[in-house]
Amino acid sequence: MDPKISLSIQLLLVGISLAAPVGEYDNSNGIETPQNVDITTLLETNKGSSRRLIEGDMLYPQTRNALVCGNNNCFWKKNSSNFVEVPYIVSSEYSATEISVIQKAMSGIHNKTCIRFVPRISQTDYISIENQDGCFAFIGKNGGKQLVSLRKKGCVYHSIVQHELNHALGFYHEHVRSDRDSYITIHWEYIATNEIRNFMKKNTNSQNTTYDYGSIMHYGKTAFTTVKGKETMTPYPDETVPIGKAKEMSDIDILRINMMYSCNISDDLKI
């Protein structure tokens, strides 16, 4: 082969490898997400946010006097077709690609639950997906317009979008469940005093399901750490179990939605 042609081919291959590094993306289930993005990524994105956030990405409620979503007033309602409609609008600041990511995250919820995110027409209660200073949302339905913030840089990934949409449906983080001490160990020595509130146990909407290490609502092992690389929580008894690595909702996440909203639950999701 002509040496010049050989060199051209080599340069072309190098260019391709630089443009699309091997292993950079996780394409499982047709979802393209950079491998270095996990649920805890949103905490880094939210650093410096002007919002008063609870557990890193939850907004204080507008119409309730406590961070509690335990009654029918904060759940979205079923329509005459027995689907739970959640009207939404999306900021025009997002690109077509970013809107596609958001819609694919919604479709992942549609496909296995009775939740339906529908474009708002004139509904009074709706979510407004906006490019603000972080990834955060209100818990459940608060009434009127309620914010789901997905900053263009750092939030528009399938897993993070589904995480924030689950907050909007009324779900909390997995690591604050009242029974969490039987499943994870909290390392308080690596948690700053002002961050301890992010680990206080709550009566969450777990629907009496088993603890879910693979939940889209579980942060990773180093969430809120004060020492880089040191873990603030580890699974118990097997510390090697991954947490905070979900790329999409787990079967248990789906089951909880179906139970809380009285959707029809298929036998294969009865966990």
Side-chain angles (χ1 to χ4, degrees), residues 100-214:
S100 177
V101 172
I102 293 169
Q103 291 178 335
K104 184 174 285 188
M106 290 177 172
S107 293
I109 299 175
H110 294 176
N111 292 341
K112 297 183 179 180
T113 74
C114 63
I115 304 297
R116 295 294 181 270
F117 294 94
V118 297
R120 179 186 181 238
I121 301 174
S122 60
Q123 295 94 328
T124 301
D125 301 333
Y126 64 99
I127 63 174
S128 179
I129 301 174
E130 301 178 15
N131 172 34
Q132 296 206 9
D133 61 347
C135 327
F136 45 80
F138 288 103
I139 295 292
K141 179 169 71 69
N142 284 264
K145 172 185 172 180
Q146 67 181 69
L147 176 66
V148 173
S149 174
L150 297 170
R151 197 175 82 179
K152 285 168 63 71
K153 185 177 181 180
C155 300
V156 189
Y157 300 112
H158 187 92
S159 57
I160 292 177
V161 175
Q162 283 199 338
H163 181 99
E164 299 307 335
L165 291 178
N166 268 259
H167 279 322
L169 291 174
F171 291 94
Y172 300 85
H173 295 123
E174 191 75 356
H175 75 277
V176 297
R177 280 175 51 148
S178 58
D179 62 348
R180 65 103 188 276
D181 291 334
S182 297
Y183 302 94
I184 60 173
T185 301
I186 304 298
H187 302 286
W188 301 102
E189 65 272 27
Y190 299 122
I191 302 171
T193 302
N194 64 327
E195 301 287 12
I196 287 177
R197 62 193 178 99
N198 297 320
F199 292 85
M200 302 309 293
K201 290 183 284 188
K202 297 180 178 66
N203 183 22
T204 59
N205 294 321
S206 303
Q207 304 297 308
N208 294 317
T209 55
T210 186
Y211 193 90
D212 186 11
Y213 297 113

